[in-house]
Amino acid sequence: DSGVTQTPKHLITATGQRVTLRCSPRSGDLSVYWYQQSLDQGLQFLIHYYNGEERAKGNILERFSAQQFPDLHSELNLSSLELGDSALYFCASSVAGAWTGELFFGEGSRLTVL
Amino acid sequence: QKEVEQDPGPLSVPEGAIVSLNCTYSNSAFQYFMWYRQYSRKGPELLMYTYSSGNKEDGRFTAQVDKSSKYISLFIRDSQPSDSATYLCAMSLNTGNQFYFGTGTSLTVIP
């Protein structure tokens, strides 16, 4: 158990809908990362938050948005969903101190868009 | 061209074999190189982390980085069925920056 909690584990929805994925980082971790994993693209970096502030953006679509709240949990909002958005969405957190190259990943939220 | 290229496999080896997993990359500014292991239906977990060029050994695992060739490798000695997983390489420009992951190589170790 990495200590990172993601909900929901599975989500099935229709095209055009909006969903929110939630992530609670490990206790004490200030950084939260969101990744999208699909079979053909692998793990794609979406966005990084540090202590409530956006630090870096990857290939995140304009239909997607995220935020990190004062209690450090984070939410990824996906709107106007398309079939191609079906994927596994991972949240990861990292320690605030010495960098070790380690991201602690949750078990992911599997999104299926029908 | 993708930042990081990794052969997806799948790779199937008998128990006890030496496994070699590789990644190539295009950005010469990468300084930090990681290998993550991902079991089915789980999130990736860090196996090894290396800074710049050189070798690093941890038990049955050895990570090699050749920055001149933009090539990294992970060797697994005496492979075990429990090593069956997907192995992802990852790279970073500097600390705290975004990680660039390979697509992963699926490995099966047959008892």
Side-chain angles (χ1 to χ4, degrees):
Chain A
D1 183 2
S2 68
V4 177
T5 304
Q6 287 188 250
T7 56
K9 290 194 185 309
H10 302 277
L11 195 53
I12 300 174
T13 188
T15 54
Q17 295 299 303
R18 173 189 168 94
V19 298
T20 297
L21 309 180
R22 183 189 167 100
C23 168
S24 293
R26 293 188 327 151
S27 177
D29 285 357
L30 301 180
S31 274
V32 168
Y33 301 78
W34 285 97
Y35 283 85
Q36 179 193 58
Q37 187 175 42
S38 57
L39 280 174
D40 57 341
Q41 293 292 320
L43 264 174
Q44 296 288 308
F45 168 71
L46 295 177
I47 199 162
H48 169 209
Y49 278 87
Y50 179 82
N51 202 21
E53 292 188 7
E54 183 186 301
R55 278 294 178 92
K57 249 181 182 176
N59 297 323
I60 187 166
L61 300 171
E62 285 193 12
R63 301 183 286 108
F64 295 2
S65 65
Q67 54 184 324
Q68 186 179 27
F69 295 87
D71 67 353
L72 300 178
H73 92 271
S74 178
E75 292 181 357
L76 179 66
N77 300 296
L78 314 175
S79 62
S80 303
L81 285 169
E82 302 175 358
L83 295 177
D85 297 327
S86 296
L88 197 49
Y89 291 85
F90 282 107
C91 166
S93 69
S94 66
V95 297
W99 192 86
T100 61
E102 186 158 19
L103 294 179
F104 295 89
F105 284 84
E107 295 200 345
S109 292
R110 183 172 295 281
L111 173 66
T112 302
V113 182
L114 301 175
Chain B
Q1 183 187 9
K2 284 185 179 177
E3 297 268 9
V4 181
E5 299 278 359
Q6 185 174 8
D7 185 340
L11 194 57
S12 186
V13 301
E15 183 175 352
I18 296 174
V19 177
S20 172
L21 304 168
N22 312 295
C23 286
T24 58
Y25 60 94
S26 57
N27 191 341
S28 57
F30 285 137
Q31 296 188 76
Y32 297 86
F33 304 90
M34 284 73 65
W35 285 96
Y36 278 77
R37 178 175 61 195
Q38 185 176 18
Y39 290 113
S40 181
R41 302 183 188 282
K42 297 289 185 183
E45 55 182 357
L46 180 69
L47 259 183
M48 309 230 5
Y49 144 64
T50 311
Y51 171 70
S52 194
S53 282
N55 294 358
K56 187 173 185 178
E57 190 172 316
D58 183 2
R60 297 184 295 109
F61 299 89
T62 299
Q64 286 186 353
V65 175
D66 182 349
K67 290 191 73 177
S68 62
S69 302
K70 300 198 190 86
Y71 188 87
I72 71 170
S73 300
L74 178 71
F75 297 95
I76 307 174
R77 290 184 300 280
D78 187 25
S79 55
Q80 303 295 309
S82 58
D83 295 329
S84 298
T86 296
Y87 290 80
L88 303 107
C89 61
M91 303 171 194
S92 179
L93 297 172
N94 46 49
T95 61
N97 209 303
Q98 68 179 86
F99 287 33
Y100 296 83
F101 281 85
T103 50
T105 300
S106 174
L107 170 68
T108 300
V109 180
I110 302 167

PDB file of all heavy atoms in Angstrom, chain B residues 38-66:
ATOM      1  N   GLN B  38       5.409  -2.198 -12.371  1.00  0.00           N
ATOM      2  CA  GLN B  38       3.959  -2.109 -12.228  1.00  0.00           C
ATOM      3  C   GLN B  38       3.339  -3.488 -12.349  1.00  0.00           C
ATOM      4  O   GLN B  38       3.393  -4.107 -13.414  1.00  0.00           O
ATOM      5  CB  GLN B  38       3.365  -1.161 -13.281  1.00  0.00           C
ATOM      6  CG  GLN B  38       1.868  -0.936 -13.120  1.00  0.00           C
ATOM      7  CD  GLN B  38       1.325   0.077 -14.116  1.00  0.00           C
ATOM      8  OE1 GLN B  38       1.937   0.377 -15.133  1.00  0.00           O
ATOM      9  NE2 GLN B  38       0.147   0.620 -13.820  1.00  0.00           N
ATOM     10  N   TYR B  39       2.750  -3.949 -11.267  1.00  0.00           N
ATOM     11  CA  TYR B  39       2.012  -5.198 -11.302  1.00  0.00           C
ATOM     12  C   TYR B  39       0.610  -4.919 -11.829  1.00  0.00           C
ATOM     13  O   TYR B  39       0.103  -3.797 -11.737  1.00  0.00           O
ATOM     14  CB  TYR B  39       1.935  -5.833  -9.912  1.00  0.00           C
ATOM     15  CG  TYR B  39       3.248  -6.368  -9.408  1.00  0.00           C
ATOM     16  CD1 TYR B  39       3.902  -5.795  -8.321  1.00  0.00           C
ATOM     17  CD2 TYR B  39       3.847  -7.467 -10.023  1.00  0.00           C
ATOM     18  CE1 TYR B  39       5.110  -6.295  -7.854  1.00  0.00           C
ATOM     19  CE2 TYR B  39       5.054  -7.972  -9.568  1.00  0.00           C
ATOM     20  CZ  TYR B  39       5.679  -7.376  -8.485  1.00  0.00           C
ATOM     21  OH  TYR B  39       6.875  -7.875  -8.035  1.00  0.00           O
ATOM     22  N   SER B  40      -0.018  -5.972 -12.336  1.00  0.00           N
ATOM     23  CA  SER B  40      -1.337  -5.823 -12.915  1.00  0.00           C
ATOM     24  C   SER B  40      -2.313  -5.212 -11.908  1.00  0.00           C
ATOM     25  O   SER B  40      -2.335  -5.609 -10.745  1.00  0.00           O
ATOM     26  CB  SER B  40      -1.843  -7.203 -13.368  1.00  0.00           C
ATOM     27  OG  SER B  40      -3.103  -7.095 -13.947  1.00  0.00           O
ATOM     28  N   ARG B  41      -3.056  -4.219 -12.364  1.00  0.00           N
ATOM     29  CA  ARG B  41      -4.088  -3.558 -11.553  1.00  0.00           C
ATOM     30  C   ARG B  41      -3.516  -2.780 -10.364  1.00  0.00           C
ATOM     31  O   ARG B  41      -4.205  -2.519  -9.379  1.00  0.00           O
ATOM     32  CB  ARG B  41      -5.140  -4.545 -11.062  1.00  0.00           C
ATOM     33  CG  ARG B  41      -5.844  -5.283 -12.178  1.00  0.00           C
ATOM     34  CD  ARG B  41      -6.940  -6.199 -11.657  1.00  0.00           C
ATOM     35  NE  ARG B  41      -7.487  -7.042 -12.696  1.00  0.00           N
ATOM     36  CZ  ARG B  41      -8.350  -6.650 -13.604  1.00  0.00           C
ATOM     37  NH1 ARG B  41      -8.794  -5.419 -13.604  1.00  0.00           N
ATOM     38  NH2 ARG B  41      -8.798  -7.487 -14.516  1.00  0.00           N
ATOM     39  N   LYS B  42      -2.248  -2.428 -10.460  1.00  0.00           N
ATOM     40  CA  LYS B  42      -1.612  -1.648  -9.393  1.00  0.00           C
ATOM     41  C   LYS B  42      -0.924  -0.423  -9.990  1.00  0.00           C
ATOM     42  O   LYS B  42      -0.715  -0.348 -11.209  1.00  0.00           O
ATOM     43  CB  LYS B  42      -0.559  -2.489  -8.653  1.00  0.00           C
ATOM     44  CG  LYS B  42      -1.110  -3.690  -7.944  1.00  0.00           C
ATOM     45  CD  LYS B  42      -1.922  -3.302  -6.725  1.00  0.00           C
ATOM     46  CE  LYS B  42      -2.370  -4.516  -5.941  1.00  0.00           C
ATOM     47  NZ  LYS B  42      -3.216  -4.136  -4.789  1.00  0.00           N
ATOM     48  N   GLY B  43      -0.593   0.533  -9.129  1.00  0.00           N
ATOM     49  CA  GLY B  43       0.189   1.669  -9.585  1.00  0.00           C
ATOM     50  C   GLY B  43       1.665   1.314  -9.662  1.00  0.00           C
ATOM     51  O   GLY B  43       2.127   0.376  -9.003  1.00  0.00           O
ATOM     52  N   PRO B  44       2.431   2.028 -10.468  1.00  0.00           N
ATOM     53  CA  PRO B  44       3.871   1.775 -10.551  1.00  0.00           C
ATOM     54  C   PRO B  44       4.555   2.037  -9.209  1.00  0.00           C
ATOM     55  O   PRO B  44       4.111   2.885  -8.433  1.00  0.00           O
ATOM     56  CB  PRO B  44       4.350   2.775 -11.600  1.00  0.00           C
ATOM     57  CG  PRO B  44       3.120   3.169 -12.372  1.00  0.00           C
ATOM     58  CD  PRO B  44       2.006   3.100 -11.394  1.00  0.00           C
ATOM     59  N   GLU B  45       5.650   1.312  -8.952  1.00  0.00           N
ATOM     60  CA  GLU B  45       6.438   1.544  -7.743  1.00  0.00           C
ATOM     61  C   GLU B  45       7.916   1.627  -8.145  1.00  0.00           C
ATOM     62  O   GLU B  45       8.367   0.918  -9.049  1.00  0.00           O
ATOM     63  CB  GLU B  45       6.221   0.428  -6.718  1.00  0.00           C
ATOM     64  CG  GLU B  45       6.496  -0.959  -7.241  1.00  0.00           C
ATOM     65  CD  GLU B  45       6.230  -2.050  -6.217  1.00  0.00           C
ATOM     66  OE1 GLU B  45       5.880  -1.722  -5.072  1.00  0.00           O
ATOM     67  OE2 GLU B  45       6.374  -3.231  -6.580  1.00  0.00           O
ATOM     68  N   LEU B  46       8.651   2.492  -7.463  1.00  0.00           N
ATOM     69  CA  LEU B  46      10.050   2.722  -7.821  1.00  0.00           C
ATOM     70  C   LEU B  46      10.903   1.505  -7.503  1.00  0.00           C
ATOM     71  O   LEU B  46      10.859   0.955  -6.415  1.00  0.00           O
ATOM     72  CB  LEU B  46      10.590   3.936  -7.063  1.00  0.00           C
ATOM     73  CG  LEU B  46      12.039   4.289  -7.357  1.00  0.00           C
ATOM     74  CD1 LEU B  46      12.181   4.809  -8.791  1.00  0.00           C
ATOM     75  CD2 LEU B  46      12.563   5.330  -6.363  1.00  0.00           C
ATOM     76  N   LEU B  47      11.718   1.103  -8.489  1.00  0.00           N
ATOM     77  CA  LEU B  47      12.683   0.027  -8.289  1.00  0.00           C
ATOM     78  C   LEU B  47      14.068   0.600  -8.031  1.00  0.00           C
ATOM     79  O   LEU B  47      14.736   0.235  -7.078  1.00  0.00           O
ATOM     80  CB  LEU B  47      12.775  -0.835  -9.556  1.00  0.00           C
ATOM     81  CG  LEU B  47      12.048  -2.164  -9.600  1.00  0.00           C
ATOM     82  CD1 LEU B  47      12.362  -2.855 -10.922  1.00  0.00           C
ATOM     83  CD2 LEU B  47      12.444  -3.055  -8.433  1.00  0.00           C
ATOM     84  N   MET B  48      14.505   1.477  -8.950  1.00  0.00           N
ATOM     85  CA  MET B  48      15.859   1.993  -8.888  1.00  0.00           C
ATOM     86  C   MET B  48      15.880   3.418  -9.405  1.00  0.00           C
ATOM     87  O   MET B  48      15.095   3.797 -10.266  1.00  0.00           O
ATOM     88  CB  MET B  48      16.810   1.158  -9.759  1.00  0.00           C
ATOM     89  CG  MET B  48      16.725  -0.305  -9.505  1.00  0.00           C
ATOM     90  SD  MET B  48      18.194  -1.250  -9.223  1.00  0.00           S
ATOM     91  CE  MET B  48      19.570  -0.257  -9.164  1.00  0.00           C
ATOM     92  N   TYR B  49      16.831   4.171  -8.896  1.00  0.00           N
ATOM     93  CA  TYR B  49      17.004   5.563  -9.302  1.00  0.00           C
ATOM     94  C   TYR B  49      18.496   5.823  -9.486  1.00  0.00           C
ATOM     95  O   TYR B  49      19.312   5.449  -8.647  1.00  0.00           O
ATOM     96  CB  TYR B  49      16.387   6.459  -8.232  1.00  0.00           C
ATOM     97  CG  TYR B  49      17.087   7.756  -7.969  1.00  0.00           C
ATOM     98  CD1 TYR B  49      17.175   8.738  -8.947  1.00  0.00           C
ATOM     99  CD2 TYR B  49      17.647   8.002  -6.718  1.00  0.00           C
ATOM    100  CE1 TYR B  49      17.802   9.933  -8.681  1.00  0.00           C
ATOM    101  CE2 TYR B  49      18.278   9.203  -6.460  1.00  0.00           C
ATOM    102  CZ  TYR B  49      18.356  10.163  -7.436  1.00  0.00           C
ATOM    103  OH  TYR B  49      18.986  11.349  -7.192  1.00  0.00           O
ATOM    104  N   THR B  50      18.845   6.467 -10.585  1.00  0.00           N
ATOM    105  CA  THR B  50      20.253   6.745 -10.892  1.00  0.00           C
ATOM    106  C   THR B  50      20.395   8.184 -11.336  1.00  0.00           C
ATOM    107  O   THR B  50      19.548   8.689 -12.078  1.00  0.00           O
ATOM    108  CB  THR B  50      20.753   5.833 -12.044  1.00  0.00           C
ATOM    109  OG1 THR B  50      20.398   4.485 -11.777  1.00  0.00           O
ATOM    110  CG2 THR B  50      22.253   5.926 -12.196  1.00  0.00           C
ATOM    111  N   TYR B  51      21.459   8.810 -10.880  1.00  0.00           N
ATOM    112  CA  TYR B  51      21.741  10.166 -11.326  1.00  0.00           C
ATOM    113  C   TYR B  51      22.895  10.126 -12.312  1.00  0.00           C
ATOM    114  O   TYR B  51      23.934   9.530 -12.033  1.00  0.00           O
ATOM    115  CB  TYR B  51      22.095  11.072 -10.139  1.00  0.00           C
ATOM    116  CG  TYR B  51      22.603  12.423 -10.557  1.00  0.00           C
ATOM    117  CD1 TYR B  51      21.751  13.355 -11.140  1.00  0.00           C
ATOM    118  CD2 TYR B  51      23.946  12.774 -10.393  1.00  0.00           C
ATOM    119  CE1 TYR B  51      22.203  14.594 -11.535  1.00  0.00           C
ATOM    120  CE2 TYR B  51      24.406  14.011 -10.790  1.00  0.00           C
ATOM    121  CZ  TYR B  51      23.529  14.921 -11.363  1.00  0.00           C
ATOM    122  OH  TYR B  51      23.996  16.141 -11.767  1.00  0.00           O
ATOM    123  N   SER B  52      22.697  10.709 -13.468  1.00  0.00           N
ATOM    124  CA  SER B  52      23.700  10.828 -14.521  1.00  0.00           C
ATOM    125  C   SER B  52      24.160   9.448 -14.981  1.00  0.00           C
ATOM    126  O   SER B  52      23.453   8.474 -14.851  1.00  0.00           O
ATOM    127  CB  SER B  52      24.864  11.687 -14.026  1.00  0.00           C
ATOM    128  OG  SER B  52      25.678  12.076 -15.116  1.00  0.00           O
ATOM    129  N   SER B  53      25.341   9.350 -15.525  1.00  0.00           N
ATOM    130  CA  SER B  53      25.819   8.091 -16.090  1.00  0.00           C
ATOM    131  C   SER B  53      26.368   7.168 -15.026  1.00  0.00           C
ATOM    132  O   SER B  53      26.703   7.589 -13.930  1.00  0.00           O
ATOM    133  CB  SER B  53      26.920   8.364 -17.112  1.00  0.00           C
ATOM    134  OG  SER B  53      26.381   8.800 -18.326  1.00  0.00           O
ATOM    135  N   GLY B  54      26.456   5.881 -15.383  1.00  0.00           N
ATOM    136  CA  GLY B  54      27.061   4.920 -14.477  1.00  0.00           C
ATOM    137  C   GLY B  54      26.141   3.761 -14.182  1.00  0.00           C
ATOM    138  O   GLY B  54      25.087   3.611 -14.783  1.00  0.00           O
ATOM    139  N   ASN B  55      26.608   2.930 -13.258  1.00  0.00           N
ATOM    140  CA  ASN B  55      25.867   1.741 -12.862  1.00  0.00           C
ATOM    141  C   ASN B  55      25.425   1.848 -11.411  1.00  0.00           C
ATOM    142  O   ASN B  55      26.069   2.519 -10.601  1.00  0.00           O
ATOM    143  CB  ASN B  55      26.757   0.486 -12.986  1.00  0.00           C
ATOM    144  CG  ASN B  55      27.113   0.184 -14.411  1.00  0.00           C
ATOM    145  OD1 ASN B  55      26.692   0.863 -15.328  1.00  0.00           O
ATOM    146  ND2 ASN B  55      27.930  -0.834 -14.600  1.00  0.00           N
ATOM    147  N   LYS B  56      24.330   1.172 -11.126  1.00  0.00           N
ATOM    148  CA  LYS B  56      23.874   1.080  -9.742  1.00  0.00           C
ATOM    149  C   LYS B  56      23.301  -0.307  -9.528  1.00  0.00           C
ATOM    150  O   LYS B  56      22.525  -0.787 -10.370  1.00  0.00           O
ATOM    151  CB  LYS B  56      22.806   2.130  -9.450  1.00  0.00           C
ATOM    152  CG  LYS B  56      22.402   2.226  -7.995  1.00  0.00           C
ATOM    153  CD  LYS B  56      21.481   3.400  -7.786  1.00  0.00           C
ATOM    154  CE  LYS B  56      21.142   3.616  -6.340  1.00  0.00           C
ATOM    155  NZ  LYS B  56      20.277   4.792  -6.155  1.00  0.00           N
ATOM    156  N   GLU B  57      23.694  -0.931  -8.442  1.00  0.00           N
ATOM    157  CA  GLU B  57      23.253  -2.296  -8.183  1.00  0.00           C
ATOM    158  C   GLU B  57      22.445  -2.346  -6.896  1.00  0.00           C
ATOM    159  O   GLU B  57      22.775  -1.678  -5.907  1.00  0.00           O
ATOM    160  CB  GLU B  57      24.479  -3.219  -8.064  1.00  0.00           C
ATOM    161  CG  GLU B  57      24.141  -4.685  -8.039  1.00  0.00           C
ATOM    162  CD  GLU B  57      25.399  -5.552  -8.106  1.00  0.00           C
ATOM    163  OE1 GLU B  57      26.291  -5.244  -8.913  1.00  0.00           O
ATOM    164  OE2 GLU B  57      25.484  -6.517  -7.335  1.00  0.00           O
ATOM    165  N   ASP B  58      21.369  -3.145  -6.924  1.00  0.00           N
ATOM    166  CA  ASP B  58      20.563  -3.340  -5.725  1.00  0.00           C
ATOM    167  C   ASP B  58      20.056  -4.774  -5.760  1.00  0.00           C
ATOM    168  O   ASP B  58      19.087  -5.089  -6.458  1.00  0.00           O
ATOM    169  CB  ASP B  58      19.396  -2.351  -5.702  1.00  0.00           C
ATOM    170  CG  ASP B  58      18.569  -2.462  -4.426  1.00  0.00           C
ATOM    171  OD1 ASP B  58      18.928  -3.272  -3.542  1.00  0.00           O
ATOM    172  OD2 ASP B  58      17.566  -1.733  -4.314  1.00  0.00           O
ATOM    173  N   GLY B  59      20.740  -5.631  -5.052  1.00  0.00           N
ATOM    174  CA  GLY B  59      20.341  -7.038  -5.039  1.00  0.00           C
ATOM    175  C   GLY B  59      20.467  -7.661  -6.414  1.00  0.00           C
ATOM    176  O   GLY B  59      21.525  -7.626  -7.030  1.00  0.00           O
ATOM    177  N   ARG B  60      19.385  -8.195  -6.931  1.00  0.00           N
ATOM    178  CA  ARG B  60      19.406  -8.838  -8.250  1.00  0.00           C
ATOM    179  C   ARG B  60      19.255  -7.840  -9.395  1.00  0.00           C
ATOM    180  O   ARG B  60      19.294  -8.221 -10.562  1.00  0.00           O
ATOM    181  CB  ARG B  60      18.266  -9.869  -8.331  1.00  0.00           C
ATOM    182  CG  ARG B  60      18.399 -11.022  -7.343  1.00  0.00           C
ATOM    183  CD  ARG B  60      17.311 -12.068  -7.530  1.00  0.00           C
ATOM    184  NE  ARG B  60      15.973 -11.559  -7.234  1.00  0.00           N
ATOM    185  CZ  ARG B  60      15.051 -11.331  -8.151  1.00  0.00           C
ATOM    186  NH1 ARG B  60      15.289 -11.555  -9.438  1.00  0.00           N
ATOM    187  NH2 ARG B  60      13.846 -10.884  -7.793  1.00  0.00           N
ATOM    188  N   PHE B  61      19.089  -6.586  -9.075  1.00  0.00           N
ATOM    189  CA  PHE B  61      18.831  -5.565 -10.082  1.00  0.00           C
ATOM    190  C   PHE B  61      20.048  -4.665 -10.282  1.00  0.00           C
ATOM    191  O   PHE B  61      20.677  -4.242  -9.317  1.00  0.00           O
ATOM    192  CB  PHE B  61      17.621  -4.707  -9.680  1.00  0.00           C
ATOM    193  CG  PHE B  61      16.343  -5.490  -9.547  1.00  0.00           C
ATOM    194  CD1 PHE B  61      15.994  -6.075  -8.345  1.00  0.00           C
ATOM    195  CD2 PHE B  61      15.497  -5.638 -10.631  1.00  0.00           C
ATOM    196  CE1 PHE B  61      14.810  -6.802  -8.223  1.00  0.00           C
ATOM    197  CE2 PHE B  61      14.310  -6.351 -10.523  1.00  0.00           C
ATOM    198  CZ  PHE B  61      13.973  -6.939  -9.320  1.00  0.00           C
ATOM    199  N   THR B  62      20.347  -4.382 -11.560  1.00  0.00           N
ATOM    200  CA  THR B  62      21.418  -3.449 -11.905  1.00  0.00           C
ATOM    201  C   THR B  62      20.882  -2.470 -12.936  1.00  0.00           C
ATOM    202  O   THR B  62      20.330  -2.888 -13.956  1.00  0.00           O
ATOM    203  CB  THR B  62      22.643  -4.168 -12.484  1.00  0.00           C
ATOM    204  OG1 THR B  62      23.161  -5.082 -11.515  1.00  0.00           O
ATOM    205  CG2 THR B  62      23.731  -3.163 -12.852  1.00  0.00           C
ATOM    206  N   ALA B  63      21.062  -1.191 -12.655  1.00  0.00           N
ATOM    207  CA  ALA B  63      20.655  -0.153 -13.605  1.00  0.00           C
ATOM    208  C   ALA B  63      21.909   0.458 -14.212  1.00  0.00           C
ATOM    209  O   ALA B  63      22.877   0.719 -13.509  1.00  0.00           O
ATOM    210  CB  ALA B  63      19.827   0.913 -12.903  1.00  0.00           C
ATOM    211  N   GLN B  64      21.873   0.658 -15.522  1.00  0.00           N
ATOM    212  CA  GLN B  64      22.987   1.274 -16.236  1.00  0.00           C
ATOM    213  C   GLN B  64      22.493   2.472 -17.027  1.00  0.00           C
ATOM    214  O   GLN B  64      21.421   2.414 -17.634  1.00  0.00           O
ATOM    215  CB  GLN B  64      23.624   0.277 -17.211  1.00  0.00           C
ATOM    216  CG  GLN B  64      24.460  -0.789 -16.574  1.00  0.00           C
ATOM    217  CD  GLN B  64      25.175  -1.651 -17.612  1.00  0.00           C
ATOM    218  OE1 GLN B  64      24.945  -1.524 -18.809  1.00  0.00           O
ATOM    219  NE2 GLN B  64      26.027  -2.541 -17.146  1.00  0.00           N
ATOM    220  N   VAL B  65      23.292   3.526 -17.014  1.00  0.00           N
ATOM    221  CA  VAL B  65      22.955   4.712 -17.793  1.00  0.00           C
ATOM    222  C   VAL B  65      24.152   5.067 -18.659  1.00  0.00           C
ATOM    223  O   VAL B  65      25.264   5.208 -18.151  1.00  0.00           O
ATOM    224  CB  VAL B  65      22.600   5.906 -16.885  1.00  0.00           C
ATOM    225  CG1 VAL B  65      22.381   7.169 -17.730  1.00  0.00           C
ATOM    226  CG2 VAL B  65      21.375   5.605 -16.045  1.00  0.00           C
ATOM    227  N   ASP B  66      23.926   5.211 -19.949  1.00  0.00           N
ATOM    228  CA  ASP B  66      24.963   5.651 -20.874  1.00  0.00           C
ATOM    229  C   ASP B  66      24.456   6.929 -21.526  1.00  0.00           C
ATOM    230  O   ASP B  66      23.727   6.877 -22.518  1.00  0.00           O
ATOM    231  CB  ASP B  66      25.235   4.563 -21.920  1.00  0.00           C
ATOM    232  CG  ASP B  66      26.337   4.954 -22.889  1.00  0.00           C
ATOM    233  OD1 ASP B  66      26.748   6.130 -22.884  1.00  0.00           O
ATOM    234  OD2 ASP B  66      26.778   4.104 -23.655  1.00  0.00           O
TER     235      ASP B  66
END
